[in-house]
Amino acid sequence: MTITRGFGETGAYGVETDDGDRRPGRRALLIGGAVAAAGAAALAHDELARLYWRLPGVERERVAGAVDFAGARWVAASPANYRHADRPDDYVVDRVVVHVTQGGYASAVKVFQDPAHQAAAHYIVRTDGHVTQLIRELRDVAFHAGNRSFNERSVGIEHVGFVDDPKSFTDAMYASSARLTAAVCARYGMPVDPEHVIGHVEVPGTDHTDPGPHWDWDRYIRLARRARTGMA
């Protein structure tokens, strides 16, 4: 199988500029419309139970340190670098976006914890295969893709390394990241294919080029498909 991708010459992560406002999600708008049309009493009890947290001043309960991928370590990103949501109910998730950090692990964590950075991914995968989760992907919209729509519909996975250094992409990294991608695809019912698992370079409007020409897409998709089959 040959997967053709296009690449440019710039780096990987940078400042997010198009997702700074906090517009209500689809469910919040649905609540407003339903209340205006039929009144709060007309909403079914179970629907109110699921939607109450989207009302002004209400925050859905969160478990500190919880992760969505077994074995991941939780290290929280700055709240300025993502938006609270309740995916996939607010936004349908149908993409995994592959990134490369253009730096080391510690520097990536540092910038994702910096509120001035205005960007962060859901996960970071190190060269030894270790996975860190910084944002709840089964909840929140991370500012990682440089495109608001793609942020809302995707899970962002950073890989420690450099786009121009093929040695960055180790066997352990490919294997671990492929298991992560397989788990994300299974969770949201996505096929493991080049339409749903994409590089940052493929996000419309972005000026980034990661994961770069040395990322082995054939190998990655093959490993992710194998991992997904093993989950069946």
Side-chain angles (χ1 to χ4, degrees):
M1 175 180 64
T2 300
I3 301 172
T4 303
R5 307 272 177 158
F7 304 101
E9 299 175 353
T10 62
Y13 58 74
V15 174
E16 192 78 26
T17 59
D18 67 342
D19 211 339
D21 63 311
R22 301 297 191 265
R23 73 178 182 186
R26 185 172 66 228
R27 299 179 85 187
L29 296 177
L30 287 172
I31 291 176
V35 170
L43 288 173
H45 179 271
D46 62 339
E47 186 69 5
L48 284 173
R50 289 189 299 115
L51 301 184
Y52 79 95
W53 72 277
R54 296 297 292 172
L55 295 171
V58 177
E59 175 65 26
R60 186 165 183 169
E61 181 181 359
R62 289 166 180 267
V63 178
V67 296
D68 299 309
F69 180 68
R73 174 194 177 200
W74 176 258
V75 177
S78 168
N81 297 332
Y82 65 92
R83 173 165 23 103
H84 278 186
D86 188 27
R87 303 192 311 173
D89 293 320
D90 280 337
Y91 306 105
V92 173
V93 178
D94 63 3
R95 294 290 188 280
V96 172
V97 180
V98 174
H99 302 262
V100 175
T101 61
Q102 287 296 90
Y105 172 78
S107 62
V109 171
K110 182 177 180 180
V111 296
F112 291 165
Q113 292 183 321
D114 180 359
H117 188 60
Q118 295 292 293
H122 293 96
Y123 296 99
I124 301 174
V125 183
R126 297 191 317 212
T127 55
D128 63 0
H130 180 276
V131 177
T132 298
Q133 183 168 4
L134 302 100
I135 298 169
R136 291 294 306 275
E137 51 105 337
L138 193 58
R139 285 277 180 87
D140 298 330
V141 175
F143 304 158
H144 67 96
N147 177 306
R148 184 184 189 117
S149 174
F150 272 73
N151 285 343
E152 291 169 346
R153 71 193 298 180
S154 67
V155 172
I157 304 175
E158 288 279 1
H159 298 81
V160 175
F162 298 87
V163 296
D164 58 355
D165 181 9
K167 296 189 297 297
S168 296
F169 311 131
T170 65
D171 292 345
M173 174 183 283
Y174 275 119
S176 182
S177 181
R179 289 192 296 272
L180 172 56
T181 286
V184 172
C185 289
R187 191 184 339 274
Y188 302 107
M190 282 187 273
V192 180
D193 62 26
E195 179 182 351
H196 297 85
V197 182
I198 66 173
H200 194 182
V201 66
E202 297 172 77
V203 175
T206 187
D207 61 355
H208 295 269
T209 65
D210 50 316
H214 300 297
W215 183 260
D216 190 338
W217 280 108
D218 285 347
R219 179 183 185 186
Y220 189 63
I221 294 294
R222 184 173 64 251
L223 287 171
R225 284 177 173 167
R226 186 180 303 163
R228 174 72 180 275
T229 299
M231 295 174 184

